[in-house]
Amino acid sequence: MSISAAFFAQAQDVSVIRNTVDVYSNSPNIGSAKFNAMAGSNGALGGDANSLLTNPAGLGVAISGEVSGTLSVTSNKNTSSYAGSSYGYTLNRGDLGNVGAVMTFQLMTESAWKFINIGVNYSNQSIENYIETPGNSNLIYDFPDATSSSFGRHAYDRYGYMSKTSFGVGANYNNNLYLGAGLNFFNSSIDQSDTAIFNSLSNGSSEYFSKQNTPFYERGNGFSASLGVIGKLGRNFRLGAAVETPTFWNIDRSYAFYNDPIYGDDYAVEDRRLTSPMKATVSAAFIANKSFALNVDYTLGLTKPKYKVYGDAETELNDFFKDNYKNLSEVKIGGEYRIKQFRLRGGYAYASSPFDALNVDRYTDTGDIAGKSYNDLILNDRNALSIGLGYDFRSFYIDASYQNVTSKYSNPFLYGVVDNAYEAGYYSPSRLISSDAYAVSDVKNVRNNFFITFGWKF
């Protein structure tokens, strides 16, 4: 029930935990407008390159070649509330979200194998995230030189992207059984800072502080593989199952450090190796006729994030995830209804909180320190609603969709103890802040995403 004190005593930012789960353990799930309109639920339906995002056996369902490209416009708003005040900030971005292609090869033989299909899919999503928290004049820090300052503001600022490129093959056996396999290659880029402002009580001037070992920069690449199967149960029902191996990440890091007894303030570089969770997905689809189809996917994480140990930091990260991480659990439901050339789509997705309840010492609004248990610390569950429509011009088609993704969580920051064994505080060019408790804000995250896809069938 408690966060390891030893872990947070090290020069680690809370965002290291957040990024491990939110970025490196959460594969890009941006597909075509159709895929996104159905909340990413297609594990037993398949039929296009987006099958590589859930179940590669869906490649075997395709009976014609297809190429598509998707433009995405994303809006990410965080509202952070603390001590009776709130700050809101919105990030808007347009990008190439997805490109997919399937080549079909019909086997003109008497064998029960009907098709061997090859697919490629590229997904890209921004991981930019900015959380600015207002200050609290009751939270005062007394410096050794007898001056005092009140807490003025805090900000997490993350820039970057995550991409996933997948190659796969799918097979159709007697139009009743579909098999598939895929290889997935990941690339990531993270530029992140963790800063705080304190305001002097004597003259009102503001002083900026950076968390030890921030800002940091990470460039990563990873690899995973996936296998899947889809089987028909009569004319109207299908069942699917897929498994994706852990993603094996190589991460190059550089970061700023402060107040080192030998080097003073400087930069350092290091490598990290991370194994993200293995995942399994089971799916069911109901296909009433050529006009209506419904699909349900359930994904479960089978393992936990684990860093290769090079020192105390990786050991403490692993201990934290071993004790406090809950395996991924996600449900996605999507449906499509066809009216001649028109397509109407909708979906819903729910992802559970990744952490157990955690107990920390935190500052109250009056500036005192008291313990509190949180069941939504760092990250929390996530809900997504989506709708979409499309029009089929026979050889060409155009689809559009909208997603609304919401989450609420408690955001811990400002902790950082400094003593003879380690330094994990907040540093300005002239002095430091040492804090043995957290300030915790309430964050509401709302994402409004728009997608438009242009595709060609051949």
Side-chain angles (χ1 to χ4, degrees):
M1 292 289 292
S2 64
I3 293 179
S4 167
F7 170 78
F8 285 108
Q10 292 293 329
Q12 297 286 339
D13 185 31
V14 171
S15 62
V16 173
I17 298 175
R18 179 179 288 125
N19 292 342
T20 301
V21 177
D22 188 36
V23 178
Y24 296 116
S25 299
N26 187 21
S27 298
N29 208 30
I30 300 296
S32 66
K34 173 185 176 180
F35 179 88
N36 299 328
M38 297 175 64
S41 178
N42 75 343
L45 289 176
D48 58 30
N50 287 166
S51 300
L52 289 166
L53 294 172
T54 51
N55 184 347
L59 293 175
V61 178
I63 58 175
S64 63
E66 182 178 343
V67 177
S68 69
T70 301
L71 301 176
S72 64
V73 178
T74 59
S75 174
N76 181 17
K77 181 179 181 180
N78 285 311
T79 302
S80 183
S81 302
Y82 181 62
S85 299
S86 297
Y87 282 165
Y89 194 88
T90 303
L91 290 167
N92 297 313
R93 184 179 180 89
D95 213 335
L96 178 64
N98 182 264
V99 176
V102 175
M103 295 289 293
T104 59
F105 300 92
Q106 187 173 6
L107 304 180
M108 309 301 291
T109 67
E110 296 181 358
S111 167
W113 295 99
K114 304 299 183 183
F115 282 89
I116 298 292
N117 302 331
I118 297 174
V120 59
N121 189 81
Y122 169 79
S123 288
N124 178 65
Q125 68 184 47
S126 167
I127 56 172
E128 292 185 15
N129 202 31
Y130 182 74
I131 308 171
E132 183 173 353
T133 301
N136 180 2
S137 59
N138 293 324
L139 181 51
I140 297 173
Y141 189 83
D142 297 318
F143 292 99
D145 60 3
T147 62
S148 299
S149 294
S150 63
F151 171 56
R153 189 213 67 161
H154 178 270
Y156 279 123
D157 195 1
R158 183 178 74 191
Y159 286 88
Y161 69 89
M162 169 74 71
S163 69
K164 177 181 180 180
T165 304
S166 302
F167 302 91
V169 59
N172 176 338
Y173 183 81
N174 204 33
N175 295 319
N176 286 310
L177 180 66
Y178 307 91
L179 304 174
L183 299 177
N184 310 299
F185 302 90
F186 299 84
N187 284 282
S188 67
S189 174
I190 297 177
D191 295 358
Q192 179 145 344
S193 63
D194 180 338
T195 58
I197 292 177
F198 278 77
N199 300 319
S200 172
L201 296 184
S202 61
N203 58 27
S205 63
S206 297
E207 190 169 4
Y208 287 77
F209 294 80
S210 291
K211 182 75 166 67
Q212 177 70 279
N213 287 8
T214 69
F216 64 78
Y217 312 91
E218 295 184 348
R219 304 295 182 265
N221 60 82
F223 168 82
S224 72
S226 54
L227 295 171
V229 60
I230 297 174
K232 284 186 177 180
L233 300 178
R235 295 181 59 186
N236 304 109
F237 293 94
R238 296 180 191 173
L239 294 178
V243 62
E244 183 176 351
T245 69
T247 301
F248 302 96
W249 283 99
N250 298 320
I251 304 170
D252 296 325
R253 285 173 49 87
S254 62
Y255 57 91
F257 63 85
Y258 310 96
N259 204 40
D260 185 87
I262 299 176
Y263 301 102
D265 298 348
D266 208 340
Y267 285 87
V269 296
E270 66 181 9
D271 298 330
R272 275 185 173 163
R273 302 291 183 267
L274 169 66
T275 303
S276 72
M278 182 178 184
K279 301 173 185 177
T281 300
V282 291
S283 309
F286 171 66
I287 305 172
N289 46 51
K290 292 184 178 181
S291 297
F292 178 72
L294 180 69
N295 188 90
V296 179
D297 292 341
Y298 175 71
T299 300
L300 179 66
L302 304 179
T303 58
K304 298 183 178 184
K306 186 175 182 180
Y307 283 90
K308 182 178 181 180
V309 175
Y310 293 104
D312 292 340
E314 289 84 11
T315 297
E316 291 158 354
L317 279 166
N318 291 339
D319 289 344
F320 175 84
F321 290 118
K322 179 181 178 181
D323 295 337
N324 302 294
Y325 179 81
K326 292 193 301 186
N327 288 350
L328 168 75
S329 180
E330 185 173 14
V331 177
K332 297 181 289 186
I333 303 171
E336 179 185 65
Y337 184 72
R338 300 183 178 185
I339 307 173
K340 295 184 178 180
Q341 278 77 41
F342 286 97
R343 311 287 187 259
L344 302 177
R345 305 177 180 111
Y348 169 75
Y350 170 81
S352 64
S353 172
F355 300 116
D356 293 319
L358 299 167
N359 185 70
V360 297
D361 288 337
R362 60 79 164 96
Y363 293 106
T364 66
D365 290 352
T366 60
D368 298 321
I369 295 177
K372 184 176 179 179
S373 180
Y374 294 88
N375 60 8
D376 61 352
L377 199 68
I378 306 175
L379 292 169
N380 198 13
D381 55 7
R382 184 180 68 250
N383 291 273
L385 286 170
S386 55
I387 57 174
L389 53 86
Y391 190 85
D392 191 342
F393 297 92
R394 298 189 184 277
S395 293
F396 296 90
Y397 62 87
I398 181 172
D399 296 321
S401 64
Y402 162 74
Q403 280 184 339
N404 175 259
V405 186
T406 59
S407 182
K408 295 180 179 179
Y409 59 92
S410 297
N411 174 45
F413 57 92
L414 212 59
Y415 179 94
V417 176
V418 178
D419 65 16
N420 293 328
Y422 39 72
E423 297 203 13
Y426 283 74
Y427 295 81
S428 77
S430 59
R431 49 188 175 176
L432 63 90
I433 297 285
S434 177
S435 172
D436 56 2
Y438 290 92
V440 181
S441 68
D442 297 319
V443 175
K444 180 180 180 180
N445 177 249
V446 179
R447 304 188 182 208
N448 293 297
N449 303 325
F450 300 86
F451 307 94
I452 185 167
T453 296
F454 300 93
W456 173 46
K457 294 182 178 180
F458 55 91

